[in-house]
Amino acid sequence: MSSLIQKAYLVSGQPHILLGADRNAGWASLKASYEAVGREIERSGAELILLYSTQWFSVIGHLFQTDPNPKWTLVDQNWYELGEIPYSFRVDPEFGALYAGICKEMGMQTATVAYHGFPIDTGTVVALKLLNPNNAIPASMVSCNIYAERDETRALGRAARTAIERYGKKAIVVIVSNLSNRYEVGDIDPAHDKISSSKDDEWNRKILEMLGEGRLEDVAQVAREFGREANADMGFKAIWWLAALAGENNKYDGKVWDYQPVWGTGNAIVELTPNPNKALDFEKEFDEGPVEQGTGLESHNVIEAGPDVHRESEMTSDPGIIPSFGETAQASDTVVTSRAAAPVGAYPHARRVGDLLFLSGIGPRSPVTNEIPLGIEAQTRATVDNVRVILEEAGSSLEKILDVTVYLTDMKRDFDVFNRVYAGLLGHIQPTRTTVGVDSLPTPISVEMKIIAAAR
């Protein structure tokens, strides 16, 4: 890590911590830990706080905040009942422009944001309100591109390190990200909040143990497995950005300030302090593959397939493949499209292998507003619409569906209506089908479909 970077932090961006601390002892504990870290930062002599939040989504390239004083009143779209969060932040526009320029030099698509009313995401707002309540230190924010995989995210992190070194000011670096990201989909008693899955909790604790030992790069190496096993927030890609910015090594002293559930998700406050003289325990280190040099953009072959689709062929040497888990790396096309609801994690809408298309779990969220239709009939129709769009973008169609796995969160209540609507939409195609009742899905939806279709 550059000598200009004093500390790095992993924090949570849930509004419950800021607005609902009186409703749950764990939320109150997170708020207290947040504020304690904020007091340390204010005394640190830092001249810049750089934030990467998984809640500031971008689809085309990377965005950089350069409005010197963004002001607004935020109401979180999912947790609006918690109330308003008015904010007025002090931003360093010069650093944001420098960072964006470096990324552009590296071949990335970038844009700066500097107009009144541009919505700052909940995660960034919560983090700055608690870490920098007096605006004592100017901040800078970079977006999380939902389609950027490991190499591009690492390149974005390396560009941040270059920008800090060129700028010459002491910096605090913050990633705003949950650990596990499996929300409770129904109403819960806030006082009895808990991690929604014991498996998620186990994985969260493994990750925190490693971070507590300062093993930042090791955590970055296992992020894919963590993302798969514990539904980590955006595949835990924020850790790739931080590790690349920090020099991709384990020479840190770690401190886990707190770990608590928020509506079923895993939330932590973690501090990492550079320690260039730290003796490393090489028996503990994990390496998922070789680390490329250069920008990190070279290992993806991106093919434009119309305005809304990118198909990425991942090379067999992709360091994202984890050989120790027995995976075989094979080249195949990935399909993503803005015409269907964005994935909630680090995965594509579909993947082509030979003559088959394998779709990720597809639900009813609107591709434009992210809203969820009311009722199982409307959700079933919306889900099939999303499936249709993805198949068409991939050069296939509903008529080529071969197999459907359906997940219903309330089999007793919804199956009859779902079955009737399904019969009208897909019954004539006669794919094989399995319908499974589940306790919950990653977003508060009632139905999700997993599809296998002929590619042509």
Side-chain angles (χ1 to χ4, degrees), residues 371-400:
E371 293 179 352
I372 299 170
L374 295 176
I376 188 62
E377 179 169 352
Q379 288 198 27
T380 302
R381 294 185 185 279
T383 299
V384 173
D385 280 344
N386 280 332
V387 169
R388 175 184 56 78
V389 165
I390 294 165
L391 289 173
E392 289 175 356
E393 291 287 1
S396 185
S397 66
L398 290 178
E399 285 66 29
K400 295 180 180 178

Side-chain angles (χ1 to χ4, degrees), residues 26-104:
W27 304 352
S29 178
L30 286 168
K31 184 178 182 181
S33 297
Y34 237 134
E35 291 172 336
V37 168
R39 290 190 291 271
E40 285 197 358
I41 290 174
E42 190 163 356
R43 295 191 297 264
S44 70
E47 300 165 284
L48 175 72
I49 300 176
L50 175 59
L51 299 101
Y52 174 104
S53 170
T54 57
Q55 295 183 42
W56 184 11
F57 300 132
S58 61
V59 176
I60 300 174
H62 307 277
L63 304 179
F64 303 81
Q65 179 63 252
T66 55
D67 181 351
N69 183 210
K71 298 179 182 180
W72 205 250
T73 297
L74 170 71
V75 178
D76 186 89
Q77 63 180 358
N78 293 310
W79 311 105
Y80 51 85
E81 73 276 7
L82 292 174
E84 299 179 343
I85 312 176
Y87 64 81
S88 175
F89 294 136
R90 179 185 169 201
V91 167
D92 188 329
E94 185 180 350
F95 178 82
L98 172 64
Y99 187 4
I102 291 170
C103 289
K104 187 165 290 189

Side-chain angles (χ1 to χ4, degrees), residues 100-405:
I102 291 170
C103 289
K104 187 165 290 189
E105 291 171 6
M106 296 170 66
M108 300 184 203
Q109 188 164 2
T110 66
T112 56
V113 175
Y115 64 87
H116 178 66
F118 184 88
I120 296 180
D121 66 281
T122 300
T124 298
V125 170
V126 169
L128 284 177
K129 294 281 280 188
L130 291 171
L131 293 178
N132 194 32
N134 302 314
N135 282 324
I137 305 169
S140 185
M141 307 91 151
V142 59
S143 70
C144 171
N145 184 289
I146 62 174
Y147 298 130
E149 255 291 351
R150 182 174 184 252
D151 284 352
E152 186 170 351
T153 304
R154 289 169 57 225
L156 187 70
R158 285 195 291 270
R161 182 173 74 245
T162 300
I164 290 169
E165 290 169 349
R166 288 188 191 176
Y167 205 49
K169 292 186 178 181
K170 293 178 288 186
I172 297 289
V173 180
V174 178
I175 55 171
V176 186
S177 174
N178 289 348
L179 297 172
S180 62
N181 202 44
R182 211 180 310 267
Y183 288 89
E184 296 288 358
V185 297
D187 290 334
I188 66 171
D189 178 357
H192 298 98
D193 196 1
K194 60 182 177 61
I195 303 296
S196 61
S197 159
S198 59
K199 181 179 181 182
D200 289 358
D201 183 47
E202 181 181 355
W203 265 98
N204 291 340
R205 293 179 185 278
K206 289 179 182 177
I207 294 298
L208 291 175
E209 179 182 0
M210 294 169 73
L211 289 175
E213 295 173 347
R215 296 165 59 196
L216 173 58
E217 175 60 15
D218 283 355
V219 174
Q221 297 284 343
V222 300
R224 285 191 194 273
E225 187 71 5
F226 179 42
R228 285 192 294 266
E229 296 295 328
N231 197 47
D233 187 1
M234 290 297 291
F236 212 39
K237 66 165 61 181
I239 209 72
W240 291 334
W241 178 85
L242 178 60
L245 185 157
E248 296 180 313
N249 61 68
N250 292 319
K251 292 191 172 184
Y252 309 96
D253 295 325
K255 177 180 180 180
V256 178
W257 283 78
D258 216 330
Y259 168 56
Q260 303 290 343
V262 177
W263 218 265
T265 64
N267 297 255
I269 310 291
V270 178
E271 175 183 306
L272 292 163
T273 305
N275 182 356
N277 300 316
K278 181 178 180 180
L280 299 179
D281 185 347
F282 292 102
E283 291 186 357
K284 283 188 173 181
E285 287 199 354
F286 180 86
D287 185 7
E288 68 168 352
V291 177
E292 306 93 343
Q293 302 301 316
T295 67
L297 297 175
E298 305 88 348
S299 67
H300 275 192
N301 177 26
V302 181
I303 305 170
E304 291 292 333
D308 298 318
V309 183
H310 299 280
R311 295 188 178 97
E312 295 182 359
S313 298
E314 295 197 34
M315 311 303 286
T316 56
S317 60
D318 182 2
I321 304 299
I322 305 179
S324 63
F325 289 93
E327 295 187 359
T328 301
Q330 295 184 0
S332 58
D333 287 346
T334 61
V335 179
V336 292
T337 173
S338 61
R339 293 178 57 210
V344 297
Y347 55 85
H349 285 121
R351 201 169 192 101
R352 179 186 287 101
V353 179
D355 293 331
L356 295 176
L357 282 167
F358 297 85
L359 272 63
S360 298
I362 306 299
R365 290 180 297 117
S366 166
V368 178
T369 65
N370 215 38
E371 293 179 352
I372 299 170
L374 295 176
I376 188 62
E377 179 169 352
Q379 288 198 27
T380 302
R381 294 185 185 279
T383 299
V384 173
D385 280 344
N386 280 332
V387 169
R388 175 184 56 78
V389 165
I390 294 165
L391 289 173
E392 289 175 356
E393 291 287 1
S396 185
S397 66
L398 290 178
E399 285 66 29
K400 295 180 180 178
I401 294 177
L402 303 173
D403 182 74
V404 182
T405 302

